[in-house]
Amino acid sequence: MKVNGIELIKITDELWEIPKTGGMLVPGRIYATQEMLENEIAVDNSLWQVINAAHLPGIQKYSLAMPDIHVGYGFPIGGVAATDAESGAISPGGVGYDINCGVRLASTHLIYNDVKDKIGELTNNLFKKIPTGVGAKGAIEKASKKDLKEIMIKGAGWAVENGYGSERDLSFTEESGRLKGAIPDVVNEKAVERGLDQVGTLGSGNHFLEVDLVEKIYDEEAAAAFGLNKGGIAVLLHTGSRGFGYQICDDYLKIILRASEKFGYNLPDKQLACAPLNSKEGQEYFGAMQAAANFAWCNRQVIMELVKRTFMYTFDISENALGFKLVYDVSHNIAKIENHLVDGKYKKVCVHRKGATRAFPAGSSELPADYKKSGQPVIIPGDMGRYSFVLAGLQNSMDETFGSSCHGAGRLMSRSKALKSVHAKNVLSDMKAKGIAIQAKGIKTLAEEMPEAYKDVSKVVDVIQNAGISKKVAKLRPIGVIKG
Amino acid sequence: MKNFIFMDHTADIAVELQADTEENLFLSAIEAYKHIMFSGIPLQEGDTIALHLAENTLEELIAAFLNELNYMVSTRGWAVKHAESTRLIIEEGIWKFECMLVGGVLGEEYYPNYEIKAAAYHDIRIKKDNGIYSITIIFDI
């Protein structure tokens, strides 16, 4: 089959291969149905970006794409590429501007009947308490540079030390909420300036906070391990490293561009610029990226604690009665050193996940004891009007995708088209008609983020399940939404 | 000739800047940035900021210029209204741009329309057609 002039060989109904040609070092592999390839993925250049990513020095096995693939900068969003950690390259384009953008899910003891009469009030209170939208100042009142330096190193641990959450939260966060190789000294002052005011801020655009109803359980045992019960109330948070991470990416893109030229890399896209991981430039980017990742984990930890306090205040209940518990926190824009099987042997690789989520299976040493049997929770946000999913990682993810899964729905419609569509005027009333309480900084943002602007995440998740990469555990339906 | 035209982009904001000279592309960049960020917001012009930038290519210089404008907004709430005394030169293979930015801090009751992460380097290329210079910039939002 050909899509956009690219030859695709069918491996299974959900897996297609782009043969290695020209300067590609490995083949490309895309997880998608034929219908998705022809009708959704074909609308942009993302398949060409899979080919481009296959040129990365030291790339192992395949240039991978998840079913939510769409065009990014250099790498496609939904792309996964692992490079040899000893001799391969690292690329800021394989991580993205929003370093460690990710999602966090918490469960509660509350059920729908406990909240239904106060969901409007809860949503309003959350909107007041969580700094949201452009220009919002952080929950941590102007963090000092000393604080920021500690956040860069300690990540979510800094937040716990300062009264935001508990030690348990760290066990239920990917990498325990911090990457150990952060190097604050290689972070530019401009990034520090952008980050000082933003610790504990949600941001805007597609970042959100949701109060969700656990609508359906697919796997009772895994759901029980995750603490999710049908009819229960959960909270889903989507945000990242804010201006701190964006600036680090921008600063290092320029440095790595020069490095690409210096090392003689001839890459098909400027934004794929890379440097050997073991070069000065590569190590400094990696150190700065880890600092940004740690900022993002701290950010999500702070916000989640504020959410918990808002629940307690709104419903006038104790912490025990609320039972607010972190299910898991995963990143979907990151590069990490992991051990994976390549040609029958374990090898250290630098896994770039850009719009892709780690999905480790049962038995993985990186998981807390509670999840050793179920596998890692993989949290997949949809859009604000329909549903999100909680999956569990399966062994096939380790065999085929360097332990990676999809990350979300992906946009279907540009912002300008969304604003012009018939749904734009009625987005607020449409949401209310669905029983969703909503608070947003602006009606324009809301219209741009309307459900119709996004793909149907259930299709994405079905492909991932059918491919054996992750399995469905629960479906969440939004009942309260905050957007910046 | 318009200063800028919006292009359709699924996830972010893409804009084609146009100008009769390479130097004027920077003025077009300001107009496009203002339109995206500050439409409907009254802008001050009480302050001036001297700006000196240097990059290896003109494309990178324009992206760096926009990222500098963005940095000022995100850290100080300082919004550009226009630029004066602009000068674009190429010296020993390095492109340099300097100007005096005129603008001011946004009023407390105003916030920019978007939070721009950065002007991306994706597919960034200056073209010249019928005497008009153009470059497409994508703002990652």
Side-chain angles (χ1 to χ4, degrees):
Chain A
M1 175 168 102
K2 271 195 174 182
V3 174
N4 292 350
I6 298 167
E7 182 77 39
L8 286 158
I9 299 168
K10 183 174 178 175
I11 310 292
T12 67
D13 285 343
E14 292 83 25
L15 179 59
W16 302 77
E17 184 166 305
I18 300 174
K20 187 175 113 174
T21 54
M24 291 169 76
L25 300 174
V26 294
R29 278 203 164 185
I30 301 103
Y31 288 84
T33 60
Q34 183 167 341
E35 186 270 334
M36 286 164 113
L37 278 166
E38 288 174 340
N39 297 327
E40 293 175 7
I41 295 170
V43 302
D44 62 29
N45 286 335
S46 48
L47 290 181
W48 283 104
Q49 293 191 324
V50 174
I51 292 173
N52 290 347
H55 289 66
L56 265 186
I59 188 167
Q60 304 290 299
K61 291 173 76 168
Y62 302 104
S63 167
L64 294 157
M66 297 297 120
D68 45 348
I69 177 185
H70 52 283
V71 76
Y73 306 129
F75 268 63
I77 294 168
V80 178
T83 56
D84 187 314
E86 305 294 326
S87 60
I90 187 167
S91 173
V95 174
Y97 282 103
D98 197 354
I99 297 167
N100 193 5
C101 186
V103 280
R104 175 174 276 236
L105 178 70
S107 63
T108 70
H109 285 162
L110 302 178
I111 60 172
Y112 182 65
N113 278 346
D114 295 330
V115 306
K116 66 181 167 80
D117 294 333
K118 281 185 125 180
I119 188 63
E121 184 183 337
L122 174 64
T123 310
N124 289 348
N125 288 344
L126 287 167
F127 192 64
K128 283 182 203 157
K129 291 293 181 190
I130 313 299
T132 300
V134 183
K137 301 292 179 200
I140 312 290
E141 287 216 18
K142 193 106 187 173
S144 69
K145 288 189 182 181
K146 181 173 172 291
D147 291 327
L148 197 56
K149 193 166 182 175
E150 286 190 14
I151 288 169
M152 288 189 232
I153 296 168
K154 295 179 182 177
W158 183 92
V160 170
E161 279 177 17
N162 285 273
Y164 295 90
S166 68
E167 284 290 330
R168 180 200 176 272
D169 295 342
L170 302 181
S171 303
F172 289 81
T173 302
E174 187 179 342
E175 299 293 338
S176 302
R178 74 177 272 246
L179 286 171
K180 296 180 179 71
I183 309 173
D185 289 345
V186 299
V187 172
N188 196 307
E189 189 60 23
K190 277 172 121 176
V192 169
E193 287 297 329
R194 268 182 99 170
L196 282 174
D197 254 358
Q198 295 196 334
V199 184
T201 59
L202 184 62
S204 62
N206 67 358
H207 291 164
F208 65 81
L209 175 69
E210 264 178 24
V211 180
D212 287 336
L213 172 68
V214 181
E215 184 170 77
K216 189 172 178 176
I217 300 292
Y218 298 92
D219 185 316
E220 294 284 349
E221 208 179 322
F226 294 173
L228 297 172
N229 302 298
K230 186 174 171 184
I233 297 298
V235 177
L236 186 60
L237 168 64
H238 175 222
T239 187
S241 53
R242 313 289 291 105
F244 183 67
Y246 313 158
Q247 192 64 44
I248 286 175
C249 178
D250 188 50
D251 292 339
Y252 273 92
L253 265 171
K254 281 187 262 196
I255 293 169
I256 300 290
L257 255 171
R258 302 290 154 263
S260 262
E261 291 159 7
K262 177 175 123 183
F263 288 104
Y265 293 151
N266 186 15
L267 294 159
D269 183 340
K270 210 171 238 205
Q271 198 110 358
L272 261 181
C274 58
L277 178 57
N278 286 329
S279 65
K280 177 177 179 290
E281 295 90 340
Q283 284 292 299
E284 287 184 357
Y285 166 68
F286 194 39
M289 186 225 81
Q290 292 184 72
N294 293 346
F295 180 102
W297 273 312
C298 179
N299 194 33
R300 291 198 288 273
Q301 182 71 25
V302 168
I303 292 174
M304 212 45 140
E305 176 65 17
L306 297 179
V307 171
K308 184 184 86 180
R309 292 176 194 175
T310 306
F311 265 78
M312 288 168 61
Y313 161 76
T314 303
F315 297 104
D316 193 22
I317 52 172
S318 68
E319 196 168 344
N320 269 350
L322 176 60
F324 198 93
K325 209 164 77 165
L326 178 59
V327 173
Y328 211 62
D329 179 306
V330 279
S331 173
H332 51 234
N333 278 3
I334 205 155
K336 296 201 296 178
I337 307 297
E338 294 175 356
N339 280 316
H340 287 278
L341 260 179
V342 177
D343 296 331
K345 285 186 190 165
Y346 277 100
K347 192 174 192 174
K348 261 197 187 152
V349 289
C350 179
V351 184
H352 298 70
R353 295 187 180 102
K354 182 173 171 181
T357 312
R358 195 185 79 172
F360 280 4
S364 300
S365 57
E366 292 84 354
L367 301 182
D370 289 16
Y371 298 159
K372 286 272 203 272
K373 206 174 164 202
S374 60
Q376 179 211 304
V378 184
I379 306 156
I380 308 296
D383 58 70
M384 65 183 181
R386 286 181 280 194
Y387 28 69
S388 300
F389 286 88
V390 184
L391 315 180
L394 295 174
Q395 182 57 38
N396 234 19
S397 77
M398 299 304 264
D399 297 340
E400 295 189 13
T401 60
F402 297 103
S404 311
S405 188
C406 59
H407 88 302
R411 286 191 74 94
L412 198 55
M413 213 189 275
S414 71
R415 290 172 193 283
S416 55
K417 276 198 178 130
L419 286 172
K420 288 175 194 163
S421 87
V422 296
H423 305 284
K425 281 184 206 160
N426 304 321
V427 60
L428 205 53
S429 54
D430 286 350
M431 294 284 283
K432 284 182 179 162
K434 287 178 183 169
I436 302 172
I438 184 154
Q439 285 284 353
K441 273 276 166 124
I443 192 72
K444 194 178 173 204
T445 304
L446 215 51
E448 289 175 353
E449 294 294 316
M450 63 181 175
E452 292 80 3
Y454 283 85
K455 299 177 189 177
D456 184 352
V457 74
S458 65
K459 285 165 62 174
V460 170
V461 161
D462 283 344
V463 167
I464 286 295
Q465 174 154 284
N466 293 340
I469 290 170
S470 309
K471 62 176 177 180
K472 287 192 274 193
V473 172
K475 184 198 245 182
L476 311 175
R477 178 166 65 80
I479 58 172
V481 173
I482 315 289
K483 290 199 78 75
Chain B
M1 179 197 66
K2 285 186 178 178
N3 296 101
F4 58 90
I5 303 170
F6 285 105
M7 321 287 281
D8 210 44
H9 192 282
T10 310
D12 294 310
I13 296 177
V15 61
E16 182 182 276
L17 307 179
Q18 295 179 348
D20 53 354
T21 67
E22 287 165 329
E23 187 171 308
N24 284 343
L25 279 173
F26 290 81
L27 301 182
S28 300
I30 289 174
E31 293 309 308
Y33 185 76
K34 275 165 52 183
H35 185 91
I36 293 165
M37 294 287 274
F38 311 125
S39 282
I41 298 172
L43 297 179
Q44 311 295 324
E45 52 181 285
D47 291 342
T48 55
I49 296 178
L51 196 65
H52 303 268
L53 296 171
E55 295 291 342
N56 282 11
T57 68
L58 181 54
E59 289 88 346
E60 287 167 29
L61 190 58
I62 292 175
F65 176 66
L66 284 162
N67 285 326
E68 200 61 35
L69 300 183
N70 199 47
Y71 172 75
M72 289 178 204
V73 172
S74 61
T75 51
R76 289 181 262 172
W78 197 92
V80 64
K81 193 166 184 189
H82 62 265
E84 294 170 351
S85 312
T86 60
R87 188 168 166 251
L88 176 70
I89 55 169
I90 178 165
E91 222 167 49
E92 292 175 7
I94 303 292
W95 287 84
K96 295 181 181 178
F97 179 74
E98 54 191 49
C99 68
M100 289 298 286
L101 295 173
V102 180
V105 174
L106 291 173
E108 265 184 20
E109 66 274 39
Y110 296 111
Y111 295 102
N113 297 322
Y114 289 99
E115 183 175 44
I116 287 178
K117 291 179 190 143
Y121 294 95
H122 178 71
D123 255 359
I124 194 170
R125 211 174 307 123
I126 301 243
K127 294 177 206 169
K128 189 178 176 187
D129 201 16
N130 289 332
I132 303 296
Y133 291 90
S134 66
I135 180 172
T136 299
I137 300 282
I138 299 174
F139 291 100
D140 190 330
I141 61 167

